[in-house]
Amino acid sequence: MSQSAPNAAPWDQDFLPPVPAWSGASRALLRPASDPWATDFERDPGLNFSPDYAATRAWFDRLDASSDLIRIEQFGTSPEGRPIYAVIASKDGATFDPAKPVLLIQAGIHPGEIDGKDAGMMLLRDIAHYGKAHLLDGVNLILIPILSVDGHERAGAYSRPNQRGPRIQGWRNTATNQNLNRDYMKLDQAEMRAVRGLVLKYRPDLYVDVHVTDGMDYQYDLTFGFNGESGAFSRSPASSAWLDDVFKPVIYAALEDEGHIPGELVFGVGDDPKAGLSDGGLGERFSNGWGAAAHVPTILIENHSLKPFGQRVLGTYVFIEAALHLLERDGAGLRAAIRADEALRPAEIPANFAPDPTPQRTVAFKGIRYETYRSEASGRDEIRWLGQPDPEPWSLPFYGSRPTLTLGRPAAYWVPAHRADLIERLTIHGVRLERIEAPRTVEVNMLRLVDPTVAGRTNEGHVAISVKTVEVERRAWTWPAGSVRVSTDQPLGDVVVLLLEPQSSESFFAWGLIPEVLNRVEYIEGYAIAPLADRMLAADPALKAEFEARLAAEPEFAANGDARLAWFYERTPFYDDRFRLYPIAREVQ
């Protein structure tokens, strides 16, 4: 397909649904195009443009040079060599006052969904030059304007067909074709490793991850949510309660006062708009799931893709400003909740959440009118959204998530020295480790994997492996120097369990990072095992009874000579003892 000019839109996206009229009070936040500090977004007549990486950085460099309140900090480098930077607004200089809450706003983890960058530029400009410096009296602000900087520069007019602006958008994945919002646990990517370091350095009290939706049409222009909303399960229940009871009402009111329509973060169920809504999943690979497990209160913003870019940017500005005000007033309450969550040490850890087929509750939903029509292209009935707010709220079932696995919490795990790559990932997470300097023999429970399954396709550059059943074998195991003991008695203990238990869908094993455990070493020929098996049958009546029972119960096994001989081989001392023996052990308590 031929490429259009960089700034030429191929069409005006008139295939998208009509836009409901909007003239919110937040339009007063815009500076005129003639203003020397107007952003490129504000200079665009249609409020439908976002600057590229170089222009964005040049604008922030100029703002930094003009104000003592603003500084730029590089905290990583992308695979293609671009600096990944944060813009920090503070009255404390280079060292933050530990008494002040810290708000971290992250934009551009998906670069096409870039609303947070342009909203952050406007707000930081107003803090530096237009009378809003008081927002920093009791709070420090960190903005990551573009996290996926390489994806941001793979820009064009064809990036997100379901999204209304900006007219030139970045690409969803990185230069290594990875989705960063699937990398919060495995920490493959340079960008995510860098942002984890920034979080550990500044310890934000609230972490806001700004996205734009796909999917159905509705009236809301800014939706947001967090794990544990409306009483759902959370690994950080105290923080979730604060977000529910304190944060959400204040932010809703601020947005509504400025003419926006905020809503709960929801996702449609199926093709029927009135079939129901879901929470979209609670997995720790996403920012909100990781935040709950790591006890970093995390908000996921999903601005509505069918609303104009300008409306979405202004709503994001209002959200950030209101969050700053609230953290100044009640940051102490949030910090107390965080400390309470960090002290938790649950004996059982729910994991592997899946959609619950039973609705949790019924919600009132501000829908958009629609009709159906017969599409010649698809040969079926399709939805046509009409752009008209339905005056009557829809009453929809809301489907949450439920755990399909419960994991016990051992006192500690042992990771062998030769898996330095896994030890490095744990260190980047901020997990506390005890590294041994000399070999140590420890009583541990090793896990034998029963019938693991290798996925038939790749996912985020990995071939996933799943296992439903493990057999526990107690061993006195000698760990070489350089191995680490990983205690679960620490704030990140839940993260440790989820990463190191092979049955966890968020584990290193599940992501396919420990495939060597599936390699069997040494085999035996039929001419050798057959006579040995016959001797075993003659010498051991109990073994003979077990074998005959298997033959009677499983005709396929009885008819398969290779399988029969393999059954005996597995019961000899010649069999590979470490085949499917998981190399990470649970310490015996």
Side-chain angles (χ1 to χ4, degrees):
M1 184 173 67
S2 63
Q3 297 293 314
S4 60
N7 288 313
W11 42 56
D12 60 5
Q13 290 184 293
D14 57 2
F15 53 83
L16 291 180
V19 183
W22 181 80
S23 57
S26 61
R27 293 183 65 88
L29 297 168
L30 296 165
R31 306 299 302 179
S34 59
D35 189 296
W37 283 108
T39 65
D40 287 346
F41 158 73
E42 292 168 301
R43 294 178 192 276
D44 185 71
L47 300 178
N48 198 30
F49 180 75
S50 186
D52 65 14
Y53 175 90
T56 302
R57 181 58 191 263
W59 192 92
F60 275 124
D61 283 340
R62 187 164 67 96
L63 189 67
D64 180 10
S66 72
S67 173
D68 292 337
L69 300 177
I70 307 296
R71 63 183 175 88
I72 296 174
E73 178 175 326
Q74 180 178 341
F75 63 91
T77 303
S78 75
E80 290 186 339
R82 294 182 177 89
I84 308 171
Y85 63 94
V87 184
I88 299 174
S90 173
K91 291 185 174 180
D92 300 338
T95 303
F96 281 2
D97 179 352
K100 291 182 181 180
V102 178
L103 174 62
L104 173 57
I105 305 294
Q106 176 179 282
I109 190 172
H110 294 152
E113 307 166 29
I114 201 60
D115 306 6
K117 177 188 76 176
D118 296 277
M121 294 173 78
M122 290 175 60
L123 180 57
L124 288 169
R125 177 268 320 278
D126 292 346
I127 287 172
H129 294 301
Y130 292 101
K132 292 192 175 181
H134 64 276
L135 292 173
L136 304 179
D137 288 347
V139 188
N140 287 311
L141 173 63
I142 302 172
L143 170 72
I144 302 173
I146 314 166
L147 178 57
S148 181
V149 291
D150 295 341
H152 188 275
E153 292 309 279
R154 184 184 170 183
Y158 298 96
S159 292
R160 287 178 61 78
N162 302 321
Q163 180 176 307
R164 187 167 266 114
R167 64 177 181 267
I168 302 298
Q169 304 162 358
W171 195 250
R172 181 178 181 84
N173 278 17
T174 67
T176 57
N177 200 30
Q178 300 296 307
N179 185 338
L180 295 182
N181 199 32
R182 305 295 183 271
D183 198 35
Y184 274 87
M185 292 291 278
K186 56 186 172 62
L187 291 179
D188 276 341
Q189 303 306 311
E191 297 93 336
M192 292 310 299
R193 292 178 172 214
V195 80
R196 189 71 187 109
L198 189 74
V199 168
L200 289 172
K201 178 178 180 179
Y202 287 109
R203 303 284 179 179
D205 298 273
L206 184 62
Y207 180 14
V208 178
D209 182 21
V210 184
H211 290 248
V212 180
T213 68
D214 292 312
M216 64 192 296
D217 202 357
Y218 45 66
Q219 296 179 42
Y220 310 102
D221 56 0
L222 187 152
T223 65
F224 67 92
F226 46 90
N227 281 27
E229 188 168 8
S230 300
F233 171 78
S234 173
R235 303 191 194 281
S236 293
S239 298
S240 294
W242 186 91
L243 292 172
D244 236 354
D245 300 337
V246 179
F247 185 83
K248 187 164 68 170
V250 169
I251 302 300
Y252 271 43
L255 286 162
E256 289 166 353
D257 286 347
E258 292 295 323
H260 294 274
I261 306 177
E264 186 174 325
L265 180 64
V266 291
F267 302 86
V269 175
D271 296 327
D272 179 355
K274 294 187 177 180
L277 305 168
S278 81
D279 62 11
L282 303 175
E284 287 76 22
R285 67 191 61 187
F286 310 112
S287 60
N288 50 320
W290 164 82
H295 310 310
V296 178
T298 301
I299 296 284
L300 173 60
I301 289 180
E302 288 280 3
N303 289 328
H304 189 216
S305 61
L306 296 178
K307 301 298 186 293
F309 181 56
Q311 183 177 348
R312 303 195 318 258
V313 169
L314 292 173
T316 308
Y317 181 117
V318 173
F319 181 102
I320 301 171
E321 184 175 17
L324 288 168
H325 281 299
L326 180 56
L327 284 177
E328 180 176 21
R329 294 198 306 271
D330 195 34
L334 179 56
R335 285 189 168 180
I338 294 170
R339 289 193 296 270
D341 291 330
E342 289 179 336
L344 296 174
R345 302 291 186 270
E348 293 186 334
I349 299 174
N352 297 11
F353 282 78
D356 191 336
T358 302
Q360 289 183 349
R361 52 194 166 94
T362 300
V363 299
F365 188 74
K366 295 180 179 180
I368 292 285
R369 287 178 169 172
Y370 65 94
E371 63 185 12
T372 59
Y373 71 100
R374 176 63 60 165
S375 166
E376 181 181 358
S378 71
R380 66 187 183 191
D381 288 343
E382 302 287 352
I383 298 290
R384 178 185 287 124
W385 297 101
L386 303 177
Q388 302 165 6
D390 196 325
E392 294 296 324
W394 301 353
S395 183
L396 301 182
F398 179 84
Y399 297 87
S401 299
R402 59 182 175 85
T404 60
L405 175 69
T406 300
L407 298 167
R409 186 190 200 91
Y413 293 92
W414 283 85
V415 182
H418 72 270
R419 291 315 307 258
D421 57 328
L422 304 184
I423 295 170
E424 179 189 26
R425 291 172 196 247
L426 290 167
T427 302
I428 294 169
H429 267 289
V431 172
R432 295 198 301 266
L433 310 173
E434 176 195 346
R435 191 180 302 269
I436 59 174
E437 302 300 328
R440 185 185 302 179
T441 301
V442 182
E443 284 289 321
V444 295
N445 285 325
M446 306 293 290
L447 305 180
R448 182 81 63 180
L449 310 178
V450 179
D451 296 328
T453 301
V454 180
R457 62 182 181 86
T458 61
N459 181 24
E460 298 300 324
H462 293 277
V463 177
I465 307 174
S466 62
V467 63
K468 293 183 178 180
T469 306
V470 298
E471 295 174 347
V472 179
E473 302 177 11
R474 184 159 177 166
R475 303 284 188 96
W477 200 268
T478 300
W479 301 90
S483 300
V484 297
R485 178 181 185 271
V486 189
S487 171
T488 64
D489 185 14
Q490 57 178 303
L492 291 178
D494 287 10
V495 170
V496 168
V497 174
L498 293 167
L499 285 173
L500 299 184
E501 285 290 336
Q503 292 171 285
S504 163
S505 60
E506 301 290 358
S507 67
F508 293 138
F509 176 80
W511 278 108
L513 295 177
I514 313 177
E516 70 275 11
V517 71
L518 306 186
N519 298 337
R520 198 178 96 187
V521 180
E522 297 296 352
Y523 295 83
I524 189 168
E525 301 293 345
Y527 64 77
I529 187 59
L532 178 57
D534 290 338
R535 293 181 189 177
M536 293 167 67
L537 283 172
D540 190 340
L543 181 71
K544 181 179 177 66
E546 183 183 357
F547 179 62
E548 290 177 346
R550 178 82 182 271
L551 294 176
E554 300 181 28
E556 290 185 6
F557 172 75
N560 188 330
D562 288 339
R564 291 167 64 142
L565 292 178
W567 188 89
F568 287 98
Y569 178 38
E570 292 171 7
R571 285 155 177 79
T572 73
F574 298 103
Y575 190 73
D576 181 5
D577 176 61
R578 298 195 184 185
F579 176 51
R580 296 182 178 173
L581 189 69
Y582 187 58
I584 297 167
R586 302 169 182 161
E587 185 174 282
V588 173
Q589 302 183 39

